[in-house]
Coordinates of all heavy atoms in Angstrom, one line a residue:
V119 N 101.2 98.9 114.4 CA 99.8 99.5 114.1 C 99.8 101.0 114.1 O 100.4 101.7 114.9 CB 98.8 99.0 115.3 CG1 97.5 99.7 115.0 CG2 98.6 97.5 115.3
I120 N 99.2 101.5 113.0 CA 99.2 103.0 112.8 C 97.7 103.3 112.8 O 97.0 102.8 112.0 CB 99.9 103.4 111.5 CG1 101.4 103.0 111.5 CG2 99.7 104.9 111.1 CD1 102.1 103.2 110.2
I121 N 97.4 104.3 113.6 CA 96.0 104.8 113.7 C 95.9 106.2 113.3 O 96.7 107.1 113.9 CB 95.4 104.6 115.1 CG1 95.5 103.1 115.5 CG2 94.0 105.1 115.2 CD1 95.2 102.8 117.0
R122 N 95.2 106.5 112.3 CA 95.1 108.0 111.9 C 94.3 108.8 112.9 O 93.2 108.3 113.3 CB 94.4 108.0 110.5 CG 94.4 109.4 109.9 CD 94.0 109.5 108.5 NE 92.5 109.1 108.5 CZ 91.9 108.4 107.4 NH1 92.7 107.9 106.5 NH2 90.7 108.2 107.5
R123 N 94.8 109.9 113.3 CA 94.0 110.8 114.3 C 93.0 111.6 113.6 O 93.0 111.6 112.4 CB 95.1 111.7 114.9 CG 96.1 111.0 115.9 CD 96.8 112.0 116.5 NE 97.9 111.4 117.5 CZ 97.6 111.2 118.8 NH1 96.4 111.5 119.3 NH2 98.5 110.5 119.5
G124 N 92.2 112.1 114.4 CA 91.1 113.0 113.8 C 89.9 112.2 113.5 O 88.9 112.8 112.8
E125 N 89.8 111.0 113.6 CA 88.7 110.2 113.4 C 87.8 110.0 114.6 O 88.4 110.1 115.8 CB 89.1 108.8 112.9 CG 89.9 108.8 111.6 CD 89.1 109.4 110.3 OE1 88.0 108.9 110.2 OE2 89.7 110.0 109.6
E126 N 86.6 109.7 114.4 CA 85.8 109.5 115.6 C 85.9 108.0 116.0 O 84.9 107.2 115.8 CB 84.2 109.7 115.3 CG 84.0 111.3 115.1 CD 84.2 112.1 116.3 OE1 83.9 111.6 117.4 OE2 84.8 113.2 116.2
I127 N 87.0 107.6 116.5 CA 87.2 106.2 116.9 C 87.9 106.2 118.3 O 88.5 107.2 118.7 CB 88.1 105.4 115.9 CG1 89.6 106.1 115.9 CG2 87.6 105.3 114.6 CD1 90.6 105.2 115.2
D128 N 87.6 105.2 119.1 CA 88.2 105.0 120.3 C 89.5 104.3 120.2 O 89.5 103.0 119.9 CB 87.3 104.2 121.3 CG 87.8 104.1 122.6 OD1 88.5 104.9 123.2 OD2 87.6 102.9 123.2
F129 N 90.6 104.9 120.4 CA 92.0 104.4 120.3 C 92.1 103.0 121.1 O 92.5 102.0 120.6 CB 93.0 105.4 120.9 CG 94.4 104.9 121.0 CD1 95.2 105.0 119.9 CD2 94.9 104.5 122.1 CE1 96.6 104.5 120.0 CE2 96.1 104.0 122.3 CZ 97.0 104.0 121.2
R130 N 91.7 103.0 122.3 CA 91.8 101.9 123.2 C 91.0 100.7 122.6 O 91.5 99.5 122.6 CB 91.4 102.2 124.6 CG 91.5 101.0 125.5 CD 91.5 101.4 126.9 NE 91.6 100.3 127.8 CZ 92.7 99.6 128.0 NH1 93.8 100.0 127.4 NH2 92.7 98.5 128.8
T131 N 89.8 100.9 122.1 CA 88.9 99.9 121.5 C 89.6 99.3 120.3 O 89.6 97.9 120.1 CB 87.6 100.5 121.1 OG1 86.9 100.9 122.3 CG2 86.7 99.4 120.4
V132 N 90.2 100.0 119.5 CA 90.9 99.6 118.3 C 92.1 98.6 118.7 O 92.2 97.5 118.3 CB 91.5 100.7 117.4 CG1 92.4 100.2 116.3 CG2 90.3 101.4 116.8
V133 N 92.9 99.1 119.6 CA 94.1 98.3 120.0 C 93.7 97.0 120.8 O 94.2 95.9 120.6 CB 95.0 99.1 120.9 CG1 96.3 98.3 121.3 CG2 95.6 100.4 120.1
E134 N 92.6 97.1 121.6 CA 92.0 96.0 122.3 C 91.6 94.9 121.4 O 91.9 93.8 121.5 CB 91.0 96.4 123.3 CG 90.4 95.3 124.1 CD 91.1 95.0 125.3 OE1 91.7 95.8 125.9 OE2 91.1 93.8 125.7
S135 N 90.8 95.4 120.4 CA 90.3 94.4 119.4 C 91.4 93.7 118.7 O 91.3 92.5 118.5 CB 89.4 95.3 118.4 OG 88.9 94.4 117.5
L136 N 92.4 94.5 118.2 CA 93.5 93.9 117.5 C 94.2 92.9 118.3 O 94.5 91.8 118.0 CB 94.5 94.9 116.9 CG 93.8 95.6 115.7 CD1 94.7 96.8 115.3 CD2 93.5 94.8 114.5
S137 N 94.6 93.4 119.6 CA 95.3 92.4 120.5 C 94.7 91.1 120.8 O 95.2 90.1 120.7 CB 95.6 93.2 121.8 OG 96.4 94.4 121.6
T138 N 93.5 91.3 121.1 CA 92.5 90.1 121.4 C 92.5 89.2 120.3 O 92.6 88.0 120.5 CB 91.1 90.5 121.9 OG1 91.4 91.4 123.0 CG2 90.3 89.4 122.4
S139 N 92.3 89.7 119.1 CA 92.3 88.8 117.9 C 93.6 88.1 117.5 O 93.5 86.9 117.2 CB 91.8 89.7 116.7 OG 90.5 90.2 116.8
I140 N 94.7 88.8 117.6 CA 95.9 88.2 117.2 C 96.8 87.5 118.3 O 97.7 86.7 117.9 CB 96.7 89.3 116.5 CG1 97.3 90.3 117.5 CG2 96.1 89.9 115.3 CD1 98.3 91.3 116.9
R141 N 96.3 87.7 119.5 CA 97.2 87.2 120.6 C 97.6 85.7 120.5 O 98.7 85.4 120.8 CB 96.5 87.5 121.9 CG 97.4 87.1 123.2 CD 96.6 87.5 124.4 NE 95.3 87.1 124.5 CZ 94.3 87.8 124.9 NH1 94.4 89.0 125.4 NH2 93.1 87.3 125.0
S142 N 96.6 84.9 120.1 CA 96.8 83.5 120.1 C 97.8 83.0 119.0 O 98.4 82.0 118.9 CB 95.6 82.7 119.9 OG 95.0 83.0 118.6
G143 N 98.1 84.0 117.9 CA 99.0 83.7 116.9 C 100.4 84.3 117.0 O 101.2 84.1 116.2
L144 N 100.6 85.1 118.1 CA 101.8 85.7 118.3 C 102.8 84.7 118.9 O 102.4 83.7 119.7 CB 101.6 86.9 119.4 CG 100.9 88.0 118.9 CD1 100.6 89.1 120.0 CD2 101.5 88.7 117.7

Side-chain angles (χ1 to χ4, degrees):
V119 172
I120 298 171
I121 303 170
R122 189 173 64 217
R123 291 184 180 269
E125 302 291 323
E126 293 294 322
I127 61 170
D128 179 36
F129 172 85
R130 182 165 178 75
T131 299
V132 168
V133 178
E134 178 83 32
S135 177
L136 289 172
S137 295
T138 303
S139 296
I140 66 174
R141 187 176 49 222
S142 67
L144 295 174

